[in-house]
Amino acid sequence: MKSLISDLHTHFPADRVIADELRRLAWGTDASFYRLVPRVVVVVENEADLLHVLAVTRQHRIHLTFRAAGTSLSGQAVTDGVLVLIGEGFASFEVAADALSVRLGPGIVGSEVNRRLAHLGRKIGPDPASIATCKIGGIAANNASGMCCGTAQNSYRTLAGMRVILVDGCVLDTEEAASVAAFRQSHARLLDELECLAEQTLADTALAGRIRHKFKIKNTTGYSLNALVDYRDPLEILTHLMIGSEGTLGFISRITYRTVVEDPCKASALIFFPDIETACQAVVRLKPQPVTAVELLDRAALRSVENKPGLPPIIRALGDSVAALLVEVRSQDTHGLQAHIDAALAAMTGVETVEAPYFSTDPETCEMYWKVRKGTFPSVGAMRRAGTTVIIEDVAFPIASLAAATLDLQALLKQHGYHEAIIFGHALEGNLHFVFTQDFGDPAEVQRYAGFMDEVCKLVVEKYDGSLKAEHGTGRNMAPFVEMEWGKQATDLMRRIKMLFDPENRLNPGVILNDDPAAHLQHLKPMPPAEDIVDRCIECGFCEPLCPSHQLTLSRRSAAGEPAGALGKDYPYFGLDTCAGCGLCSTACPVAINTGDLTRRLRGRAQSDLARSVGRWTGEHFGAVASTARLGLQLGHLASAVVGDKALGILSGGAWKTAMPRAGRAVRAHQVNGDPVVYFPACGGRIFGPNAAGEAQLGEVIQQVLVRAGYAPRLPQEFDRLCCGQMLASKGLAEEANASAARLEAALDAASEHGRYPIIMDASTCSVRMQEYLAGRLPLLDFHEFAHDALLPRLRLVRQTGPIALHINCSVHKSGSDAKLKKVVSACVEQVIAPAGVSCCGFSGDRGFVVPELNQHALRKIHDELPASCMRGVSSNRTCEIGLTAESGRTYRSVAYLLEECSRTPTMED
């Protein structure tokens, strides 16, 4: 082990070779229900890195597994060997001039690709439900699909080129003539063998026919044998075999997709049928029509989401046998859309429905329908008993058999006691998902699962000749059943393919092909109860793209619990200190878990009685605390004048920032006539003053804008002694924080005359905290919300050209007020840039001072996303602005400054 790590270190820096027990355990799981703890984890950023890993593992005769986002549902992204993480260096993107193709690295997230293609009216074909999280490497290696792409627009069908690295270190680029020529010479035997396999397969008409038949519906069981009957060129065979190979044949270093049209006009209908059979009759009729997607939901699936807001009330009164179809049509224009709607409705004429079908073109209604459909899986996960896991299985049937197969599947689930199970799926492709909960901590329960899966496989294969894995990949979960589905002849063909590419079985062994009939029952992941906040976690990984600590220490998926024993000693830093506690994870989590709440709870448990006493004293004497902090800032600037910001930053362990704000000054109340509004300047803006000497302080600027709009701001009595308690809450001092909030509430209540007048605050984090604490008792808004609702109609704005950077902080995201902030900024500036690669800035109150690496890591992409011409930015939280200024080299200020600038008039004197 030491020798292996030592050899890796000859090429890799220490932070990209992960050998500590805690993080190896965290990387030992993906979105499936398996766990294997890797011996070591290595982050590769380029091909040279990958080639070094291949050489070292070959030397040490150890197997390895490639991992992109880890959203795999069948256990194909875990290993007890070397786990190779695809780093951000592989997140390349290059679109063709005509936008008809796009060249991608395996490390870029699928939704990011589509975001960059959107303005061109194009997208990639594959559309897995996890597209906002999963990466291109995983999408291609699993031949992942989703609700719309079917079998016509998946990775296999839209592949235009590939750069692949084989286990022997050879690099093949099919889009580079010199590479192809060299490969044809160096690997002539491999190409000859592939050509021979194709010829033999085509010569066997029964086998060739079997393969063509199997791939008429979705199928990711085993290797893509259709490559042997679809192509004659062995290079085409090779690259198409790579699709769906789950990292067992080689490493896809780059892939070129033919893009597909993204139709701008869409309509959706949620249609209820008296039973499954009737719904499936409609599916058969809709199949030849110009419909984009048809999703089937059984009654249990509908029941799991029937209380979601916005759904038709009728859904709660439906009978037990009812089923639904969610149908979507798309077109380039409204005329074409209406024609597609008419065709779909005409096709269903004569099919009995509970109520007349209706297509909505309202974007919000359509989005709500699809959110509800996507929420069926997590709804089961959220309701499961602590200590159990949620399992989603994935099969496909010939569409003509869909009704009977669904009824048989329902009966099988009930027979084995899975009464909570739901069934839904992509009906146009005969693709069904069934979701149920399972306890793997009880041997008897494991046997129940084993018996159930055996019968499912018999049902799918023997009765309906379907696919055991339609789109989730074979993985470990279905590897023992590949021969059952395909038969010995086709499976032997797969074994020959594996031997050709990986004769030593070092690439992801045990995945796709596994001769152990009980392999799917081994390495099951334990799910013991941890904390009620996170026990509902289904470990899907959807939170990770938003997590500021992901790839720095632990993401919130892997930190959702507190390890004991030897692992516990590393957890405070990896799991707590570097957690921003921002809660952005909850916005992506299918079951709405905010792991920031867990972090605060665990921090609170670690606080001593003395720390609680200090916290209590801080809240009760906040005026003195603020004065002391301002004095510290003044002293810091004196020191910086002598040694410089950079040196002081080093001496302070990163706490002193470049362009650190000046110390705040006392906010002066403006005595004017106008409509009363209560304004509470949050402590961040009171302690941290303007960015430069002579610049107006935030509290002054906000009052200027309010007065200009005809308002008379009121400051609460002794406001400088008050705090909302956010600072204490972030440290887990909930009781002490709420005491501070209670004191502030009393002052706001008095100033607003018991809620008669609106109340505003100028820091989004503090505003959201008080909104949650007040629970509607007082009308409190963040400044940008009030600006949108009340100031924009009253102010005369002169728009600037820009560009200006906009940072939408975590609290604004979580509160759902980001659209208002965008409208305020857009009302002031023509060109607004909101960097897509930046979510939470990682400053998180005082985290940016005490754990500066979190802030630096969270903002690592900001430089690439802001053009050189963009030299200033706005946000709505003072400490976020400090971190953004320090890390981006651009001056960030409150949006209030921008609003004040744009509302000035030549004759105005403020």
Side-chain angles (χ1 to χ4, degrees), residues 8 11-19 23 27 40-46 48-50 52-53 65 67-68 82-90 135 251 551-553 857:
L8 289 170
H11 176 87
F12 290 97
D15 63 342
R16 289 205 275 132
V17 178
I18 300 169
R23 284 185 292 171
W27 286 114
V40 65
V41 180
V42 187
V43 183
V44 295
E45 299 287 358
N46 50 53
D49 288 350
L50 195 280
H52 185 77
V53 173
T65 292
R67 175 174 173 137
V82 175
L83 185 65
V84 182
L85 300 183
I86 300 174
E88 293 173 351
F90 275 110
K135 298 179 180 179
F251 177 79
Q551 296 181 336
L552 172 67
T553 50
H857 180 76

Side-chain angles (χ1 to χ4, degrees), residues 143-162:
N143 199 21
S145 56
M147 301 179 194
C148 300
C149 80
T151 56
Q153 295 183 344
N154 59 21
S155 293
Y156 182 92
R157 294 297 178 192
T158 58
L159 174 66
M162 184 182 289

Side-chain angles (χ1 to χ4, degrees), residues 101 155 157-162 174-175 236 240 255-258:
S101 65
S155 293
R157 294 297 178 192
T158 58
L159 174 66
M162 184 182 289
T174 65
E175 297 178 290
E236 291 283 5
H240 284 82
I255 186 170
T256 301
Y257 282 116
R258 289 186 294 275

Side-chain angles (χ1 to χ4, degrees), residues 171-186:
V171 180
L172 165 65
D173 189 338
T174 65
E175 297 178 290
E176 184 181 289
S179 176
V180 169
F183 189 83
R184 287 190 185 278
Q185 186 171 16
S186 65

Side-chain angles (χ1 to χ4, degrees), residues 648-685:
L648 189 56
I650 295 171
L651 291 170
S652 64
W656 187 264
K657 304 296 178 185
T658 302
M660 184 71 98
R662 303 287 164 171
R665 301 182 299 273
V667 180
R668 176 180 58 87
H670 287 224
Q671 302 297 328
V672 295
N673 294 323
D675 297 330
V677 59
V678 176
Y679 167 45
F680 175 65
C683 60

